[in-house]
């Protein structure tokens, strides 16, 4: 597994994007308006990025860590065998498949297998 992104819930998207782009030198990759709010994907150096979500449905802070996997069904099977808390079995999404595991602290670990 490779860490691909950290998802943070923010109170003010404009202020947050300004901070991450102007202060930390990230670049805006994609922006989405969704029924529950806004999503901005930011790229930094290397492989990992940041996903910012502005939504009144969540409190601000770290929401999840996203990880790329080669074979999501195999990863979930291995994690189940190790006693991991599987919150969501693999489902088909636009870019491939997604599943969710909850760590001992309640942090969401989102596994994504991208279409190749």
């Amino acid at each position: 597994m490779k860490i691909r992104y950290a998802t943070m819930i923010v109170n003010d998207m404009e202020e947050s994007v300004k901070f991450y782009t102007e202060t930390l030198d990230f670049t805006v990759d994609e922006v989405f308006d969704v029924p529950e709010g806004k999503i901005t994907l930011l790229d930094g150096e290397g492989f990992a990025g940041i996903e910012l979500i502005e939504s009144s449905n969540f409190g601000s802070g770290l929401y999840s860590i996203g990880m790329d996997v080669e074979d999501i069904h195999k990863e979930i099977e291995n994690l189940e065998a190790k006693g991991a808390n599987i919150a969501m079995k693999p489902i088909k999404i636009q870019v491939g498949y997604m599943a969710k595991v909850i760590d001992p602290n309640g942090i969401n670990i989102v596994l994504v297998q991208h279409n190749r």
Side-chain angles (χ1 to χ4, degrees), residues 62-65 101-109:
L62 178 65
Y63 178 73
S64 69
I65 301 293
V101 177
I102 308 295
D103 90 342
N105 304 292
I107 302 293
N108 295 298
I109 308 297

Side-chain angles (χ1 to χ4, degrees), residues 63-74:
Y63 178 73
S64 69
I65 301 293
M67 300 199 179
D68 275 342
V69 298
E70 292 294 319
D71 184 335
I72 199 163
H73 298 286
K74 181 178 176 182

Side-chain angles (χ1 to χ4, degrees), residues 74-91:
K74 181 178 176 182
E75 290 291 346
I76 290 297
E77 185 178 301
N78 289 338
L79 291 167
E80 282 180 316
K82 293 177 181 178
N85 179 1
I86 310 299
M88 184 176 69
K89 298 274 189 163
I91 62 168

Side-chain angles (χ1 to χ4, degrees), residues 2 10 12 15 18 21-22 29-30 32 39 42 49 52 57 59 64 66 69 72-73 83 86 92-93 104:
K2 296 178 186 173
V10 300
D12 184 322
E15 179 181 303
K18 181 178 179 181
T21 58
E22 294 180 11
D29 181 38
E30 294 183 76
F32 303 96
I39 298 173
L42 302 167
L52 302 176
N57 293 340
S64 69
V69 298
I72 199 163
H73 298 286
I86 310 299
K92 182 96 172 109
I93 59 173

